[in-house]
Amino acid sequence: MSIHFGGMNKMITSLFLYSLLVHATVAQQVPLPKPPLRKWTTLSGNEPLVVSRGGFSGLFPEGTPNALAFAKDTTILCNLQLTKDGGAFCVTGTTLDKSTNINVFDPNKTRTYNINGKNVEGYFAVDYTAKDIDQNVFMVQSIYTRPDFYDQSLPVLNVDAVLGDQSPPKFWLNAQYEAFYTQKGVKFVDRVVELVTQYQINYVSSPEIGFLKSINGKVSKTTKIIFQLLGANEVEPTTKQPYGTIVKDLLAIKSYASAIMVPKEYIWPVKPDNYLGLPTTLVSDAHKLGLEVYASGFANDFTLSYNYSYDPTAEYMQFTDKGDSVDGVVTDFPTTASNAIACFANNQSLPKKGPTLIISNNGASSVYPGSTDLAYQQAIDDGSDIIDCSVQMSKDGTAFCSGAADLIQETTAVTKFMPRTSTVPEVQAKSGIFSFDLTWSEIQTLKPQIYNAEGPDFPRNPAAKNSGKFVTLAEFLELAKTKAVPGILINIQNAAYLASNRSLDIVGTVSSALSNASFDKESTKQVLIQSDDSQVLTKFKDIPSYKRVLLVDDRIGDIPRPTADEIKKYADAVNLVKSAVFSVEGGGSLLAGMTNVVRELKDANLTVFVHNLKNEFITLAFDFWSDPNIAMATFIQNAKVDGIVTDFPATASRYMRSPCSDPNHVPTILPAQPGDLMSTVDPQTLPPAESPLPPLEVDNVVDPPLPAVSNSKDEPSAHPPPTKPASSSSFRANKVNIGLSLVVYLVFALLFTGH
């Protein structure tokens, strides 16, 4: 049976992909000594097996040539479907509906069959011939958050065609619905045995005990027979017992299988509140009987337990690095699983972290409410090099740490101070409840609140949503002095407005606080002073122990050399948004290339930081494969940034302390190559190309002199001096659509504070 690619354009796309694959393969084959062998707690003592469901199905439609190519060093799991003439294809599920374009080939011809006691409607492979599927049906991505660029352009995986190749992959055949196929006249057992015998398939699994018993003795002993357990309440068709009952008798399972494949929740249950429960003893119990255990259901872009902080590597380590390790993981993202096993498990760590700085964003603001005592302590514990305080001012002059002057997002202000809402265009375009309109005692009546940066569908650690206490600038500096943290970053916002309109001298307050804590004489800790106002940075130029950082929140595509030279007059470093480093297309989902911005700044002898790196997969371009480690590798190895600002310092610290963060190490975590993935996509499937981003000009850098602090604290000045307006393209933490009404704010606040 032949594989049909559907035209020359599709063949060219595949050639691009194989070129990209060759690049990645060559990069890993650096002739360096192999790392020492490590002992694993798997049954065999070998490292856990990485099994990829249909290949790299997290990026490409499952089972397609490209998905297989990018998972070539793993074992490919094929969920078998048979045609009426015995054609063997790999498509997850009972029908072809969700994963193929079968409805285009055969519109409006769905059927309903009773399968294992349930009526199922759809398009069934058994109603077609192998030729029908081979020549007319193409795969589509079945999960909406994944790229649809390759839909209807790549064929369904034909088992005979793939395994008949000169270099077939390691293969795992998952077979089920024996009674259904037999009823339809297909000799299911005979066909599976034929495939296993002809191609020496490595693994055969099934959730049907009767089927597994029927193939025992008919296949080679080198083929592992694996019992797949489905959901605990689902019923096994042979015994009519729930899988949750069957799993309690592992000795009986051992009579017809050498291993089990279970949903990962069988090992680490997830409670209704989405936190991990206590682990079961399933793995250790199975190992005692000589049964291997394979855990399924892994994907970087599925909902993870809050314990993992949207970090898929942390989940893999939970199953391979905590007590008895599973013997393998079944995943849609084999690269992340392989990296977790090869690079992070068994406490692998460099003697000394690399030079790239880990800079917290409001502390560990993914774990606790930002800028609280708990968030800062967590950031220190997680390995941050620099902890940060964005200084805000209360009405009566107390300086404290908070991500924004608007308290709506990061506190419970809307529940107490809605009447104090105002609009301050010099600070932000939308209305807010501002710190400079409340006294410190009023602010202390509020609770801090975790800011869910990617919206309510991606909540961060709800159990701690109102934990911790607000921290004054003096308390922050004292914490930094007494803890083993290498440095601090003080971010100064809205200085001109506060001086002229609110009679608040934020620059003088910060300067005095630093001096009082002796940071102006600091020789062992780094002190970074950051602002988007060049005149603020000028105020700190005479303190040699301070390093000044210009915050550039605007989306820019270039920095001409005169601009870089002008920045150098005010700053030692620049903190850029991600889009200033890599240009994007496809609605922001694909890296188009690398800008010259970092290079121009470095040529001017400026240090470069980038903000704000997050773990949530929707913040990552598809090039990063929903893996924050690959994103960091790309910014550090390709763009050569000197520091990353992140809400998730634990993830950054683990990566930077891993031997695999060294590009010369074998293995290494390879960075994405901007533009390579986009070159595989038919341009007609992409949205219109974005307009080039503007350059940062000298006029964007040079700010007017700071005004003198006004005498009146009662009312804002009627004629304030010019101040830099809030950037309409800002990536700051206080970004919210202007159109959100105050009623919406109140609803959100009530939802997230539990009132």
Side-chain angles (χ1 to χ4, degrees):
M1 301 177 186
S2 61
I3 295 180
H4 176 70
F5 279 84
M8 183 59 69
N9 287 338
K10 295 170 184 129
M11 179 64 78
I12 291 172
T13 295
S14 290
L15 288 175
F16 270 125
L17 282 160
Y18 282 105
S19 173
L20 180 60
L21 175 67
V22 168
H23 166 83
T25 303
V26 170
Q28 294 182 64
Q29 293 177 345
V30 182
L32 290 176
K34 292 184 178 180
L37 294 176
R38 288 172 279 133
K39 182 171 177 59
W40 292 89
T41 56
T42 56
L43 182 62
S44 67
N46 298 324
E47 71 178 27
L49 185 72
V50 175
V51 183
S52 52
R53 184 186 66 89
F56 203 142
S57 53
L59 183 61
F60 306 103
E62 70 164 304
T64 56
N66 305 324
L68 299 186
F70 274 76
K72 68 182 186 65
D73 293 325
T74 69
T75 296
I76 306 298
L77 185 143
C78 165
N79 286 299
L80 181 66
Q81 293 200 33
L82 296 179
T83 60
K84 63 173 66 176
D85 54 352
F89 295 88
C90 301
V91 181
T92 296
T94 314
T95 68
L96 300 173
D97 305 25
K98 293 183 179 180
S99 299
T100 76
N101 69 340
I102 183 71
N103 62 314
V104 176
F105 166 61
D106 192 16
N108 303 317
K109 290 189 178 179
T110 61
R111 295 169 174 82
T112 301
Y113 295 116
N114 187 279
I115 300 178
N116 293 342
K118 295 180 181 179
N119 288 329
V120 181
E121 181 183 5
Y123 291 89
F124 296 84
V126 75
D127 291 319
Y128 302 92
T129 66
K131 184 178 179 180
D132 290 336
I133 304 299
D134 251 340
Q135 297 186 359
N136 300 287
V137 180
F138 297 91
M139 296 299 294
V140 299
Q141 185 56 267
S142 60
I143 297 176
Y144 79 95
T145 55
R146 297 177 181 176
D148 59 1
F149 309 132
Y150 309 103
D151 284 2
Q152 303 190 59
S153 66
L154 298 168
V156 184
L157 193 159
N158 181 318
V159 176
D160 288 282
V162 170
L163 295 185
D165 188 74
Q166 291 182 349
S167 301
K170 293 179 181 178
F171 213 70
W172 177 317
L173 201 63
N174 188 52
Q176 61 186 114
Y177 311 122
E178 177 193 359
F180 169 65
Y181 282 108
T182 300
Q183 180 185 2
K184 297 295 293 181
V186 177
K187 296 181 178 180
F188 186 73
V189 174
D190 292 347
R191 182 60 174 131
V192 171
V193 171
E194 178 188 7
L195 290 169
V196 174
T197 303
Q198 181 176 356
Y199 300 117
Q200 298 181 349
I201 290 174
N202 309 85
Y203 306 86
V204 175
S205 63
S206 178
E208 300 176 4
I209 294 173
F211 169 77
L212 293 178
K213 289 182 176 181
S214 70
I215 66 171
N216 261 310
K218 296 180 181 180
V219 299
S220 170
K221 291 183 178 180
T222 60
T223 298
K224 286 187 178 179
I225 305 299
I226 300 170
F227 178 43
Q228 179 192 18
L229 289 100
L230 304 180
N233 295 322
E234 294 188 55
V235 176
E236 192 278 323
T238 305
T239 63
K240 309 301 182 186
Q241 289 185 312
Y243 289 98
T245 299
I246 295 172
V247 75
K248 296 175 182 177
D249 191 353
L250 294 174
L251 189 60
I253 293 174
K254 194 174 188 301
S255 68
Y256 53 83
S258 60
I260 57 175
M261 175 170 61
V262 299
K264 59 189 179 182
E265 291 78 16
Y266 273 60
I267 302 166
W268 280 95
V270 178
K271 298 182 295 184
D273 62 3
N274 203 36
Y275 287 93
L276 291 178
L278 295 175
T280 69
T281 59
L282 176 61
V283 177
S284 61
D285 292 344
H287 283 179
K288 290 173 185 176
L289 294 175
L291 281 171
E292 290 185 325
V293 180
Y294 296 87
S296 64
F298 291 90
N300 296 6
D301 54 358
F302 286 178
T303 299
L304 303 180
S305 166
Y306 296 131
N307 296 75
Y308 303 129
S309 291
Y310 296 97
D311 180 359
T313 296
E315 183 180 36
Y316 289 116
M317 292 177 67
Q318 190 79 15
F319 286 81
T320 60
D321 216 32
K322 306 273 188 183
D324 287 273
S325 169
V326 296
D327 300 281
V329 293
V330 182
T331 176
D332 293 2
F333 290 83
T335 298
T336 303
S338 297
N339 287 341
I341 292 167
C343 297
F344 299 114
N346 289 340
N347 297 313
Q348 296 183 73
S349 181
L350 290 170
K352 183 180 180 181
K353 186 184 76 69
T356 308
L357 293 176
I358 302 169
I359 305 170
S360 72
N361 182 55
N362 303 320
S365 52
S366 61
V367 182
Y368 292 108
S371 306
T372 58
D373 57 335
L374 296 180
Y376 288 128
Q377 185 59 58
Q378 189 68 50
I380 295 169
D381 295 342
D382 288 344
S384 297
D385 297 304
I386 306 290
I387 58 172
D388 69 303
C389 171
S390 286
V391 180
Q392 309 301 335
M393 300 292 290
S394 68
K395 183 177 182 179
D396 50 354
T398 296
F400 68 102
C401 303
S402 183
D406 181 4
L407 301 177
I408 286 179
Q409 288 179 343
E410 297 184 14
T411 77
T412 56
V414 292
T415 63
K416 286 197 172 186
F417 296 112
M418 278 292 288
R420 308 281 274 276
T421 301
S422 63
T423 301
V424 183
E426 296 91 342
V427 175
Q428 63 183 33
K430 64 182 179 67
S431 299
I433 301 172
F434 296 98
S435 65
F436 45 74
D437 287 327
L438 303 177
T439 65
W440 178 237
S441 60
E442 289 175 322
I443 292 171
Q444 288 181 297
T445 66
L446 304 175
K447 292 180 181 179
Q449 159 173 297
I450 287 183
Y451 172 45
N452 296 315
E454 304 312 314
D457 290 338
F458 293 86
R460 294 175 170 181
N461 195 18
K465 65 182 179 181
N466 297 120
S467 299
K469 71 180 187 68
F470 301 113
V471 176
T472 65
L473 176 58
E475 291 169 339
F476 171 82
L477 297 176
E478 180 62 24
L479 174 72
K481 286 189 74 70
T482 58
K483 298 293 183 178
V485 59
I488 61 171
L489 182 146
I490 304 298
N491 185 38
I492 301 176
Q493 306 174 347
N494 309 312
Y497 173 79
L498 292 173
S500 61
N501 288 50
R502 302 292 174 167
S503 302
L504 294 170
D505 182 8
I506 188 172
V507 173
T509 300
V510 169
S511 181
S512 297
L514 289 169
S515 296
N516 291 340
S518 301
F519 275 96
D520 57 340
K521 302 176 180 64
E522 183 61 57
S523 59
T524 59
K525 294 182 185 290
Q526 291 195 61
V527 180
L528 309 181
I529 307 296
Q530 176 176 277
S531 182
D532 61 354
D533 191 320
S534 59
Q535 297 303 316
V536 169
L537 299 180
T538 300
K539 298 294 185 180
F540 295 90
K541 68 178 181 179
D542 295 328
I543 310 295
S545 61
Y546 297 165
K547 186 173 184 176
R548 295 171 295 158
V549 183
L550 180 67
L551 177 65
V552 179
D553 261 336
D554 298 305
R555 300 181 66 217
I556 58 173
D558 189 23
I559 289 187
R561 185 54 190 263
T563 305
D565 291 338
E566 188 67 25
I567 292 173
K568 185 65 180 173
K569 297 176 183 178
Y570 303 99
D572 308 291
V574 179
N575 190 355
L576 301 167
V577 293
K578 293 179 291 186
S579 61
V581 180
F582 295 112
S583 57
V584 295
E585 293 291 349
S589 62
L590 293 169
L591 300 184
M594 187 160 60
T595 71
N596 294 323
V597 171
V598 175
R599 189 190 66 194
E600 291 287 352
L601 292 171
K602 284 183 169 286
D603 286 348
N605 200 28
L606 286 158
T607 300
V608 180
F609 306 142
V610 63
H611 69 280
N612 183 23
L613 272 65
K614 305 171 188 175
N615 285 4
E616 290 95 345
F617 71 87
I618 59 168
T619 69
L620 303 172
F622 289 135
D623 307 66
F624 300 141
W625 300 345
S626 299
D627 187 339
N629 292 312
I630 296 177
M632 286 184 286
T634 306
F635 279 98
I636 294 169
Q637 295 181 31
N638 284 1
K640 311 295 184 186
V641 299
D642 302 294
I644 61 168
V645 181
T646 177
D647 301 3
F648 299 84
T651 302
S653 179
R654 188 194 58 223
Y655 165 74
M656 292 190 201
R657 287 173 167 80
S658 165
C660 295
S661 64
D662 180 353
N664 296 316
H665 186 268
V666 177
T668 187
I669 295 176
L670 293 169
Q673 300 300 321
D676 277 7
L677 187 61
M678 195 171 78
S679 70
T680 72
V681 178
D682 183 349
Q684 295 181 353
T685 67
L686 295 174
E690 298 183 12
S691 300
L693 294 175
L696 186 71
E697 302 290 0
V698 170
D699 289 347
N700 304 128
V701 173
V702 180
D703 292 288
L706 291 176
V709 178
S710 65
N711 293 324
S712 173
K713 292 188 178 183
D714 296 328
E715 297 293 337
S717 169
H719 303 286
T723 59
K724 182 184 293 186
S727 170
S728 61
S729 60
S730 172
F731 273 47
R732 297 181 194 218
N734 65 349
K735 176 181 175 185
V736 174
N737 291 336
I738 297 172
L740 284 177
S741 69
L742 293 176
V743 174
V744 174
Y745 278 136
L746 180 57
V747 171
F748 269 66
L750 293 175
L751 284 173
F752 290 120
T753 57
H755 293 294

